[in-house]
Amino acid sequence: MSWLRRLSRDRSASYTKEASMPNRPNSFADHQSPPYKDTQYASTYNSQDRLQSYRPTTAPSQDTQQYNSLPIQRPQESSNNATAHNTPTLTQAPDPLTRAFNEVLKPYLEKIDRLQAEIDDKNLDIQQLEEERADMHAWIDKRGLRADVPASIAAAMNSDSTGAQTLAHHLDRKMTILNHDLHRLQDSLSSHLPTSTFTTTLATLLPAIESLSTLPHGAALAFELLIKLGGNLNSHGGEEGYNNDGDIASRAEFYSRLDETMVEVVRRRLEHPDEEDQPWMVGRDVKRLEKTGGFLRSKIGLQAYFPRSLDVMKYEVKRGEVGINGRGGGHVSPQ
């Protein structure tokens, strides 16, 4: 207990000494008490030394200050991850009625998909067939064979807007080829070639000309081809052929067939004036046919040259004159 008494006596002496010291105003020491350190019972490594060891001995560097001043960024979860995290992963199973409905509907849906695939295949086949048909039509037109194709193919080829012009061009080309072939045949023979040979050959073009007249804008083209077909017949035969009874009969029969076809062409042309590129000068064509008929009458003794067609055309001219004079109506054909 002696050491406790000695400790208390020393502390009392220190307190008495501090109380006897004069006060100094504005002194920092008045407000600061000296740090406590047990000097009497010093130890090799006390708490004060431990605290002192943790304090930095030098000032922090500038890089350390800048690093400490940077704000700390924490990773943030995206809204999608947050939503996915909040959304429950389990889905509610469908009720028995919905499940039964889906099971019943499944075979029909599979059948619809199968039919759709078949439709796609058929569309591809149709496209390939259309391409092949276009190539075939181009091949036919390139060789001028449209007038010789079957009716089913001709109907498909003449369905476009230029079908009439193309068919008329091919018919005119074929007519020229036949005319040249007949001329060469006549020149290769020492005797007269019968007129029936010419009429039979040229008559093969009449069905195609009739088909041409039924196409849009084809009646006017068929009208000119019929006149040219008759002129090709007139260019064949010598003087002895004109006086032959058989040749005269063959020629008259051929012109009768031409006249029958021409009547239908004229009527169609008058019924569809909107298909004419320019108004049809009916009176001018009447004069042209009458002049050609007069020449053939004096040259080869042909008595009838489109007689029925001329009657229809003359009647139309009279209707036009009545309409112009104000005494009636009807289609007006300019003179």
Side-chain angles (χ1 to χ4, degrees):
M1 294 300 290
S2 61
W3 63 272
L4 289 176
R5 292 178 182 176
R6 189 169 52 250
L7 178 61
S8 59
R9 186 172 56 250
D10 293 340
R11 287 186 177 179
S12 299
S14 63
Y15 289 156
T16 306
K17 184 178 180 180
E18 289 177 0
S20 62
M21 294 180 62
N23 294 331
R24 290 180 298 176
N26 300 328
S27 177
F28 180 77
D30 297 339
H31 304 281
Q32 289 285 345
S33 59
Y36 171 76
K37 186 174 182 181
D38 193 357
T39 57
Q40 186 175 1
Y41 301 97
S43 61
T44 59
Y45 193 74
N46 54 18
S47 62
Q48 294 292 335
D49 297 334
R50 186 176 298 177
L51 290 175
Q52 199 71 14
S53 65
Y54 287 126
R55 296 174 184 174
T57 57
T58 58
S61 63
Q62 185 177 0
D63 297 337
T64 306
Q65 293 178 0
Q66 293 179 355
Y67 177 78
N68 293 334
S69 62
L70 294 177
I72 299 176
Q73 297 182 356
R74 289 187 169 83
Q76 298 180 359
E77 295 184 354
S78 61
S79 58
N80 297 334
N81 295 337
T83 305
H85 180 71
N86 297 331
T87 304
T89 57
L90 297 178
T91 57
Q92 185 177 3
D95 57 280
L97 181 60
T98 304
R99 185 167 57 254
F101 177 78
N102 294 335
E103 292 295 332
V104 172
L105 196 62
K106 184 177 180 180
Y108 297 97
L109 295 177
E110 294 177 351
K111 185 176 181 179
I112 291 174
D113 295 338
R114 185 172 61 256
L115 293 177
Q116 185 64 40
E118 293 178 359
I119 291 174
D120 295 339
D121 295 339
K122 296 300 181 182
N123 290 334
L124 182 60
D125 295 340
I126 292 174
Q127 183 179 359
Q128 293 177 352
L129 291 175
E130 289 179 350
E131 293 176 356
E132 294 176 0
R133 182 182 64 177
D135 294 339
M136 180 185 65
H137 291 176
W139 186 90
I140 292 173
D141 289 340
K142 185 177 181 179
R143 288 154 181 80
L145 301 176
R146 181 175 289 203
D148 300 325
V149 297
S152 58
I153 300 178
M157 298 182 67
N158 298 328
S159 59
D160 57 347
S161 58
T162 61
Q165 289 81 359
T166 305
L167 180 58
H169 174 72
H170 288 187
L171 287 173
D172 184 79
R173 182 175 180 271
K174 184 177 181 180
M175 190 184 302
T176 303
I177 293 173
L178 290 177
N179 190 29
H180 289 172
D181 292 342
L182 291 172
H183 269 292
R184 286 196 297 267
L185 180 61
Q186 178 66 61
D187 296 339
S188 64
L189 298 176
S190 58
S191 61
H192 168 65
L193 187 65
T195 304
S196 60
T197 303
F198 293 96
T199 57
T200 303
T201 303
L202 296 176
T204 57
L205 298 175
L206 289 178
I209 296 176
E210 292 176 354
S211 301
L212 174 62
S213 65
T214 61
L215 299 178
H217 306 281
L221 301 173
F223 182 87
E224 298 297 333
L225 287 177
L226 287 174
I227 295 177
K228 183 176 181 178
L229 189 61
N232 287 338
L233 178 61
N234 298 331
S235 64
H236 295 286
E239 293 294 335
E240 68 276 8
Y242 295 146
N243 298 324
N244 187 299
D245 293 338
D247 291 342
I248 293 175
S250 298
R251 191 180 302 274
E253 182 182 359
F254 178 74
Y255 271 106
S256 177
R257 292 187 60 184
L258 285 182
D259 191 25
E260 293 177 0
T261 306
M262 180 66 84
V263 169
E264 298 300 326
V265 171
V266 169
R267 288 175 178 173
R268 177 168 178 79
R269 193 174 180 183
L270 294 174
E271 291 174 357
H272 301 277
D274 56 322
E275 296 182 357
E276 301 284 340
D277 295 334
Q278 296 179 355
W280 183 23
M281 308 292 288
V282 184
R284 184 182 63 184
D285 286 335
V286 168
K287 293 179 181 180
R288 182 171 62 145
L289 293 179
E290 289 178 342
K291 183 178 179 179
T292 304
F295 171 78
L296 295 177
R297 190 179 302 109
S298 62
K299 181 67 176 178
I300 61 176
L302 183 63
Q303 300 300 322
Y305 183 74
F306 295 110
R308 295 176 57 193
S309 302
L310 283 171
D311 291 340
V312 176
M313 295 169 66
K314 289 178 181 179
Y315 176 74
E316 186 64 25
V317 171
K318 292 180 180 180
R319 290 182 59 190
E321 292 177 351
V322 171
I324 293 175
N325 295 330
R327 295 191 298 269
H331 176 72
V332 179
S333 299
Q335 299 294 320

